């Protein structure tokens, strides 16, 4: 009898704001059950809600004990796959979440540190994406809305485990950008391929590259 | 014996500047011989050279007598398919063309008017592209480099004929944008689909829509 | 008894859209009666209305017979003083004008050419502004709203006269940008100094510089 | 005999990269010896060098024991006064510093936490700036270059003291933007007024406003 494969948990988000779809979930759900570097992908959709998003994430992480968790979210207006470097311990919502909550300058976790870094070989992921012809960048901020909230909570969840994890922002899909004049977009197929590469590098590269991807400001 | 189909001439450009490819030609050449609304696509690559680009274009237009000519060029940095409204009678090159020429404030055609409008149902094309989920815009300037030069020369060539024609700018493809940090891109398949829609609407819509696509500045 | 000085007509616009002020008129009115290169500045405020703006402009031009007319307008979102190169014969209003009119794809002048060029030494003006430490650019489009409408109408008015004329777009002032997050701005004093330089160069430089200020798209 | 006034330490930076001046120091040095809310301004110029910048800062902080320290730096390309929320424990230099050092993914302080928050009433500062007609924003990242390095080191220095402190990024000045086409700028006088307001609010407002200034990403 076969051992079940170890897993990778990919999460996307449901739609929020005025958009009827969310390309993060569209890409993630289509990767369900793919096998990458000997790991099976499990896909989960998170609500765009402070608090409940993290409760759902915790349930899945505790049940699956995945080797890697990549949370994926929409960054409408960005042009590239954004590999997030750091989550900060702040909720500051410019718009209400999908449950109508709008925290201002509250901590994600009152007992937590000011920030948590991704546990990912970000520079190796960046290099692999660019070599594959996919626009990518390391980002120094995941914002202060539900994406950053989930990212921060995820890194706290993974503390003490050997699991890797982090957060990736993706651009609008073309059909969204068609109604956001001037906004960049990325084809769903490109986003899916980017996530496959991100997962493979995160699972297989132990020591990150020494490659600058900083910002003067 | 069959009548040969009437034709549509699509032109793309060879690479220029520091880029090793040009997504305008990549998309156009892959549409060669497709049949849209009863017309066969003929694809031609133009040199990025003042003067010679127009000489090559003229040869093909005079030989083919196409019902429609769409010239396609790269607008690195734009996020959407740009339907150009107007060509101006100015060459003002910020960088040299591929033959090393760099005209400044010279007319494309000393005997021509200040500008020529596209002969296309631009607003109907815009609406059809957006309905198909493709980011698109009407642009009020095609610049002052070889793209505008070809657009202006094309509209002069078509004067007095019944043919329609105009110019479409396309974004970087993803593999280019991977080396232009922050720049938007569009998948080649999306660009090809956009050109198919543009050709079909240009061939079949007689009276344009009354749909605003203006700019305050 | 002294001869009256020859004049320069500067026009600004009243506020439009959701803004309570218009930095174009704020700068222009403060230059009233200054003398530059032997010419006295006359300042006029134009309504943001298709048609009536041009009627008001015509009255002043016919009465004053100025040596130079610079129309100045707001380009919210631009970062630099924009020296407009070309006015096109199109009204295409994305938003209603201040009288509620919203023309779409109508000509400014049904009897006019597709476009009119500024009659200004644009490149010499650009060089002088930059040397004075003022961000400046040559722009290839003045849009399709009332600014372009006035610019086009102005160039038609000046045909056959020896007068020079053109259009300059200015950024938001800082107090506007404070409520347009992310938008660039320019201090009123900098705008005033830019207009003084523009007037002086327009009055005194006969042959323009050969200086590229083009755009690839 | 009079008590000496308590002090506020303002720091700016020397020029870096290809720019011949740095508007952060230009503004800060002109505020030297002004008195705001009963505190005298002391101005210091920091080198754009990892390590040495912090050594210089430490010397001044230990000598002066200021009630408030605001470090000010240039963010070329931003349009508004940026009130930085958080410093991260990472040096990742895209370009070399002025001593030729280019650390990649090194901690500012190997013994420090992942991040430190500004100790400033950021939202009250934001509101006061906007009310004064000055474009301003709360920023979620100070980058990964010397500005973030100084910000992080400053917050570590102030730990355990009652002093407030933080970091403010300012745009290019106009004469710089004249040679960075398309880049926003801010007049030196506006930057000086912004810093006066920032100092006054930081010294006098005990409890910050509940005002959202977050970002979705």
């Amino acid at each position: 009898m076969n051992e079940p494969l170890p897993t990778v948990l990919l999460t996307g988000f449901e739609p929020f704001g005025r958009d009827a779809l969310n390309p993060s979930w569209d890409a993630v759900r289509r990767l369900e059950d793919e096998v990458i570097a000997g790991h099976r992908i499990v896909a989960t959709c998170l609500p765009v809600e402070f608090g409940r998003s993290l409760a759902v994430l915790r349930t899945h992480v505790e049940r699956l004990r995945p080797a890697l968790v990549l949370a994926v979210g929409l960054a409408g207006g960005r042009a590239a796959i954004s590999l997030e470097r750091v989550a900060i311990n702040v909720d500051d919502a410019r718009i209400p979440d999908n449950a109508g909550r709008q925290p201002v300058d509250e901590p994600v976790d009152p007992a937590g540190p000011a920030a948590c870094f991704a546990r990912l070989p970000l520079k190796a992921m960046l290099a692999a994406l660019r070599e594959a012809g996919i626009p990518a960048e390391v980002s120094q901020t995941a914002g202060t809305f539900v994406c950053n909230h989930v990212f921060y909570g995820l890194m706290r969840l993974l503390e003490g485990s050997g699991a890797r994890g982090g957060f990736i922002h993706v651009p609008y899909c073309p059909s969204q950008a068609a109604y956001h004049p001037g906004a960049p977009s990325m084809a769903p197929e490109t986003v899916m391929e980017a996530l496959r590469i991100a997962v493979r590098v995160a699972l297989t590269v132990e020591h990150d590259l020494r490659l600058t991807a900083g910002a003067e400001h």
Side-chain angles (χ1 to χ4, degrees), chain A:
Chain A
M1 194 183 128
N2 288 339
E3 281 286 302
L5 288 176
T7 57
V8 168
L9 177 62
L10 295 188
T11 69
F13 282 105
E14 63 182 15
F16 70 101
R18 287 176 296 183
D19 285 300
L21 56 83
N22 192 317
S24 67
W25 174 237
D26 288 352
V28 161
R29 71 176 171 75
R30 291 164 67 184
L31 295 171
E32 172 93 26
D33 284 332
E34 286 197 16
V35 174
I36 297 175
H39 292 66
R40 185 174 60 85
I41 304 291
V42 178
T44 294
C45 186
L46 300 181
V48 179
E49 295 178 32
F50 291 99
R52 202 161 73 83
S53 53
L54 274 180
V56 173
L57 178 66
R58 177 192 302 268
T59 305
H60 284 84
V61 169
E62 291 181 349
R63 182 175 51 79
L64 277 177
R65 302 279 161 199
L68 169 69
V69 186
L70 287 183
V72 185
L74 168 63
R78 292 195 193 171
I81 297 289
S82 282
L83 308 171
E84 296 295 346
R85 191 196 289 263
V86 62
I88 62 174
N89 194 7
V90 176
D91 292 335
D92 187 356
R94 202 182 53 84
I95 56 174
D97 72 9
N98 282 357
R101 287 196 60 233
Q102 192 171 2
V104 173
D105 294 348
E106 298 177 11
V108 180
D109 178 350
C116 299
F117 289 112
R119 291 162 70 169
L120 292 172
L122 293 175
K123 305 302 180 70
M125 294 163 75
L126 178 67
L129 288 165
R130 288 187 175 162
E131 277 159 33
I134 299 177
E137 66 193 359
V138 170
S139 162
Q140 326 300 340
T141 175
T144 58
F145 196 56
V146 180
C147 287
N148 174 75
H149 180 88
V150 162
F151 181 16
Y152 184 91
L154 168 63
M155 300 322 297
R156 292 282 284 163
L157 271 177
L158 298 185
E159 276 172 22
S161 82
R164 285 183 156 184
F167 197 97
I168 293 179
H169 266 120
V170 302
Y172 283 130
C173 64
S175 66
Q176 283 180 300
Y179 294 93
H180 291 275
S185 60
M186 190 173 278
E189 293 72 22
T190 307
V191 172
M192 289 171 64
E193 185 58 20
L195 294 179
R196 285 188 193 102
I197 291 168
V199 167
R200 195 185 63 238
V201 174
L203 288 171
T204 59
V205 171
E206 192 168 356
H207 299 292
D208 201 1
L209 298 179
R210 192 181 178 281
L211 175 72
T212 183
E216 279 80 80
H217 57 81

